[in-house]
């Protein structure tokens, strides 16, 4: 099997699993326990916290550990909307956001004024539209750092600079897909979310990073872990593994990305002249989104799966709904292009043999589908 669905989840690295096992065996204690084992575990927890903040260039921020990005998004978005409603009602999000952002905000639709910032044809937030929509009523802006469908990197630093002039606005960034793939400047971000399993850590660990801890309103109440902001016995093995995984994925990142860029280009060059296939523009080297025009993405994914190639429809999270994918729609794709689209997502260990097999597999399916396909 060749795994090319890394935007859905990655295989944990050997080093991350080693940390996970080691901590599970030797420091399995509750970090809130007072005995020596508990205190040693708490020290390790703080070391992991510091390492993650340092890796992200956010040492002046604070971090609470969560179960993943969905939880982090829920905590910060619910908390901020409820806190800020007395100051204004407008919430701005990009058209590209993940359901764990949009679905939370939509729960407040009767109380807020939700506006979507337009996307350019390049798949990035339209800054002119953002500026036009910014007024005294805006309380919250939420933008993902790297899109999970086409891999476009959003101008987070620039947005942070713009929002600095709006005191009332809280700036949240869902960096779930960006962390471990691209290094961005998050210094002006008020809150950032991430999930370990997207960068070769284990599942069940994530973080919410904030400028000011006081603004977090706990959703999980209980024994007071994480300074009372997220109760529940801390998943220390997964957290230590997350810190390790992040350090390793960030190591020599430019070289790794250059290598993936070449592999990504191989696929694009091979299919460049195929008239019944539409390949979305390249953004992050980890992503290829392409359409078998006239077919259903699901059929293509199943056919590739039969050949031992694991890819996904536009995203694992929206693949079960019948709605057209928001991102592909926002950048101006036709319905038949969106319906026939698949997402191929590389990892840092994707090899050239994997890509050769992918090209062969895509060719096989293209030929199998024959007359079902039509020209773009
Ligand atoms: N945000 C984005 C951009 C994502 O891609 C995902 C994972 N598909 C999430 C949030 C949710 O992450 P998790 O499932 O780890 O909570």
């Amino acid at each position: 099997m060749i795994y090319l669905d890394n935007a859905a989840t990655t295989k944990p690295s050997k080093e991350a699993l080693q940390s996970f096992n080691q901590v599970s065996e030797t420091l399995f204690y509750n970090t809130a326990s007072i005995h020596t084992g508990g205190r040693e575990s708490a020290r390790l927890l703080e070391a992991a916290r510091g390492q993650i903040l340092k890796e992200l260039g956010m040492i002046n921020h604070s971090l609470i550990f969560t179960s993943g990005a969905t939880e982090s998004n829920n905590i910060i978005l619910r908390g901020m909307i409820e806190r800020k409603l007395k100051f204004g009602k407008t919430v701005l999000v990009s058209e590209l956001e993940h359901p764990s952002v949009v679905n939370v905000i939509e729960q407040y639709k009767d109380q807020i004024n939700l506006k979507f910032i337009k996307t350019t044809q390049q798949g990035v937030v339209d800054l002119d539209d953002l500026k036009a929509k910014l007024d005294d009523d805006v309380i919250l802006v939420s933008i993902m750092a790297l899109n999970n469908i086409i891999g476009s990197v959003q101008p987070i630093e620039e947005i942070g600079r713009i929002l600095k002039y709006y005191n009332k606005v809280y700036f949240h960034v869902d960096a779930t897909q960006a962390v471990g793939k691209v290094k961005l400047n998050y210094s002006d971000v008020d809150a950032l979310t991430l999930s370990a399993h997207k960068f070769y850590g284990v599942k069940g660990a994530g973080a919410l990073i904030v400028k000011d801890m006081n603004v977090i309103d706990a959703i999980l109440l209980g024994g007071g872990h994480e300074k009372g902001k997220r109760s529940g016995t801390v998943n220390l093995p997964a957290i230590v593994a997350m810190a390790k995984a992040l350090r390793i994925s960030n190591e020599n990142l430019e070289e790794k990305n250059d290598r993936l860029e070449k592999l990504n280009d191989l696929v694009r060059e091979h299919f460049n002249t195929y008239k019944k296939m539409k390949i979305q523009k390249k953004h992050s080297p980890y992503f290829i989104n392409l359409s078998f025009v006239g077919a259903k993405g699901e059929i293509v994914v199943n056919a590739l799966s039969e050949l031992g190639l694991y890819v996904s429809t536009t995203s694992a999270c929206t693949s079960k709904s019948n709605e057209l994918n928001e991102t592909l729609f926002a950048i101006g794709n036709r319905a038949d292009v969106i319906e026939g689209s698949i997402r191929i997502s590389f990892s840092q260990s994707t090899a050239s043999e994997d890509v050769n097999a992918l090209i062969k597999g895509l060719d096989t399916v293209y030929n199998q589908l024959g007359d079902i396909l039509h020209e773009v």
Side-chain angles (χ1 to χ4, degrees), residues 29-301:
Y29 312 105
N30 191 322
T31 53
S33 291
I34 290 169
H35 50 67
T36 309
R39 276 186 279 132
E40 263 182 55
S41 302
R43 268 200 295 279
L44 192 59
L45 179 67
E46 293 320 308
R49 200 186 308 275
Q51 270 169 23
I52 292 170
L53 287 172
K54 190 164 158 243
E55 278 298 331
L56 296 170
M58 299 180 85
I59 50 168
N60 294 323
H61 282 68
S62 306
L63 182 157
I64 64 161
F65 289 111
T66 63
S67 62
T70 299
E71 185 188 334
S72 301
N73 285 341
N74 269 264
I75 295 175
I76 198 65
L77 296 171
R78 275 177 201 285
M80 284 323 296
I81 292 174
E82 285 176 18
R83 250 169 201 259
K84 293 222 162 212
L85 265 176
K86 52 183 175 291
F87 302 113
K89 290 199 178 341
T90 304
V91 175
L92 302 181
V93 298
S94 78
E95 296 172 309
L96 310 171
E97 297 309 308
H98 188 264
S100 62
V101 167
V102 181
N103 291 352
V104 178
I105 296 174
E106 279 187 341
Q107 281 220 316
Y108 294 89
K109 65 175 186 292
D110 296 338
Q111 298 164 64
I112 62 167
N113 183 9
L114 173 59
K115 290 186 184 165
F116 290 91
I117 309 160
K118 284 190 198 135
T119 316
T120 68
Q121 298 282 314
Q122 304 305 310
V124 295
V125 170
D126 183 335
L127 295 180
D128 290 332
D129 192 49
L130 167 67
K131 286 178 199 156
K133 290 194 165 104
L134 272 171
D135 61 27
D136 276 355
D137 194 53
V138 179
I139 47 173
L140 172 67
V141 174
S142 183
I143 312 273
M144 59 164 51
L146 192 146
N147 176 259
N148 56 322
I149 308 297
I150 54 172
S152 51
V153 181
Q154 304 302 314
I156 296 302
E157 194 175 345
E158 218 168 332
I159 295 171
R161 266 202 304 271
I162 296 169
L163 296 183
K164 255 187 175 170
Y165 296 100
Y166 295 81
N167 280 340
K168 210 194 278 180
V169 178
Y170 195 80
F171 183 26
H172 167 250
V173 171
D174 177 355
T176 310
Q177 292 289 346
V179 174
K181 294 190 186 85
V182 59
K183 290 184 187 171
L184 299 177
N185 181 347
Y186 297 121
S187 52
D188 288 332
V189 167
D190 291 312
L192 186 109
T193 59
L194 55 107
S195 252
H197 72 98
K198 302 283 188 187
F199 50 89
Y200 323 104
V202 300
K203 288 156 191 68
L208 171 61
I209 300 178
V210 287
K211 250 190 190 156
D212 177 7
M213 268 293 241
N214 294 319
V215 304
I216 298 180
D217 294 313
I219 286 183
L220 297 181
L221 304 175
H225 299 80
E226 297 295 275
K227 299 204 164 67
K229 302 297 186 186
R230 202 276 184 179
S231 286
T233 302
V234 167
N235 188 355
L236 187 63
I239 289 167
V240 175
M242 167 160 67
K244 176 65 104 26
L246 178 56
R247 189 174 59 72
I248 291 176
S249 56
N250 268 350
E251 248 169 31
N252 306 319
L253 190 59
E254 258 180 51
E255 281 166 38
K256 289 175 187 164
N257 289 358
D258 284 348
R259 190 186 70 85
L260 290 180
E261 188 101 36
K262 292 194 183 92
L263 294 182
N264 193 309
D265 286 342
L266 280 182
V267 182
R268 289 169 187 280
E269 279 155 21
H270 183 92
F271 293 104
N272 204 10
T273 55
Y274 284 41
K275 292 202 163 52
K276 298 172 183 173
M277 191 184 270
K278 162 135 191 208
I279 310 182
Q280 302 295 330
K281 186 179 168 295
K282 185 170 67 181
H283 299 279
S284 159
Y286 293 78
F287 287 78
I288 302 172
N289 195 304
L290 56 83
S291 304
F292 286 71
V293 186
K296 293 266 177 279
E298 210 177 304
I299 304 282
V300 178
V301 170

